[in-house]
Amino acid sequence: MSMPILIAPSVLAADFGRLAEEVQAVDRAGADWIHLDIMDGHFVPNISFGPEIVRTIRKVTAKPLDVHLMIAPADPYLAAFAEAGADLVTVHAEAGPHLHRSLQAIRALGKKAGVAINPGTPESAVEPVLDLVDLVLVMTVNPGFGGQKFLDAPLEKVRRIGAMIAGRDIAIEVDGGITTETAPLAAAAGASVFVAGSAVFGQGPDYAQPIEAIRAAAERATGQWT
Ligand code: DX5
Ligand code: ZN
């Protein structure tokens, strides 16, 4: 099944001093989702922001908020992110021993659920939970920082996860080092949601240009471009 190509700018690369305007700018520029990276200084070696910032962003955009939790444990905070306005909450398979329970909890909160895997984690980690997710996030960098170099090795996992999904309504998202050069590689492997931080926010003030360039590059690679 061919899914629409979606572009999700990562706010991590925005100017935090002008956060509301930055979010509104990518919204107007055609972002499909807004990607929010939550880091705890424990699961990943960096700290970003928490539910109050998600709540602030919720007030300035109607676009789906794609909340990527790089925190361990995740379960104690799921309700807070759901209440803050997340539409989709993604937890890492590596973040704790009870992935299945975390995904059940996200769905019980009425939100879409995603599972993420780091570059060093095999795709078999997501197989037992596929019926509980709307999205599989394949990290194409080691999480923690924006602006890192795209890794090719996870592309093979994207292919294998696409085969595992076997036509179910589950999107594959890639995150880390996505540019007009790397998005086509991931699109050809089967990804349909593209997170881009530096490649969008580093290219302002006209964010429509980088968003549409990444979209066109990905669509061309899947034959959806006309
Ligand atoms: C990495 C984050 C990413 C990051 C991507 O830990 O999950 O979402 O913001 O940034 P770029 O697109 O700059 O690699
Ligand atoms: Zn992310």
Side-chain angles (χ1 to χ4, degrees):
M1 189 172 61
S2 172
M3 296 236 177
I5 299 291
L6 302 179
I7 310 298
S10 166
V11 161
L12 194 64
D15 176 355
F16 281 14
R18 299 171 44 252
L19 190 54
E21 296 105 279
E22 290 273 76
V23 170
Q24 287 169 323
V26 288
D27 177 328
R28 277 196 308 273
D32 297 290
W33 294 355
I34 309 295
H35 185 83
L36 304 180
D37 287 305
I38 313 299
M39 302 179 179
D40 66 353
H42 167 74
F43 180 68
V44 289
N46 194 8
I47 299 176
S48 59
F49 51 82
E52 285 313 312
I53 297 291
V54 176
R55 194 186 309 281
T56 300
I57 291 173
R58 176 75 291 164
K59 289 182 190 146
V60 299
T61 180
K63 297 280 168 88
L65 298 186
D66 172 28
V67 174
H68 176 194
L69 296 181
M70 288 163 275
I71 66 174
D75 291 8
Y77 304 98
L78 297 175
F81 285 102
E83 284 159 17
D87 294 282
L88 190 150
V89 179
T90 295
V91 289
H92 268 262
E94 308 86 355
H98 295 296
L99 175 62
H100 190 280
R101 175 186 292 157
S102 303
L103 295 167
Q104 283 181 315
I106 295 167
R107 287 221 164 147
L109 289 161
K111 304 301 176 181
K112 290 192 170 172
V115 58
I117 52 171
N118 287 330
T121 301
E123 69 280 3
S124 56
V126 307
E127 192 162 22
V129 296
L130 281 181
D131 285 331
L132 282 170
V133 301
D134 303 282
L135 176 123
V136 177
L137 167 50
V138 178
M139 291 303 304
T140 42
V141 298
N142 285 295
F145 303 94
Q148 301 182 81
K149 190 178 175 317
F150 179 86
L151 301 170
D152 288 302
L155 291 175
E156 195 47 48
K157 292 194 289 186
V158 171
R159 277 188 204 96
R160 291 195 291 254
I161 290 166
M164 268 183 212
I165 287 172
R168 279 175 279 187
D169 191 15
I170 301 170
I172 302 178
E173 179 176 57
V174 283
D175 182 3
I178 297 299
T179 64
T180 49
E181 276 75 49
T182 58
L185 306 175
S192 66
V193 187
F194 299 82
V195 177
S198 344
V200 171
F201 285 103
Q203 304 296 318
D206 176 16
Y207 297 137
Q209 195 282 327
I211 289 172
E212 292 318 317
I214 295 167
R215 189 194 308 284
E219 287 179 350
R220 238 179 261 127
T222 58
Q224 293 183 44
W225 192 68
T226 50

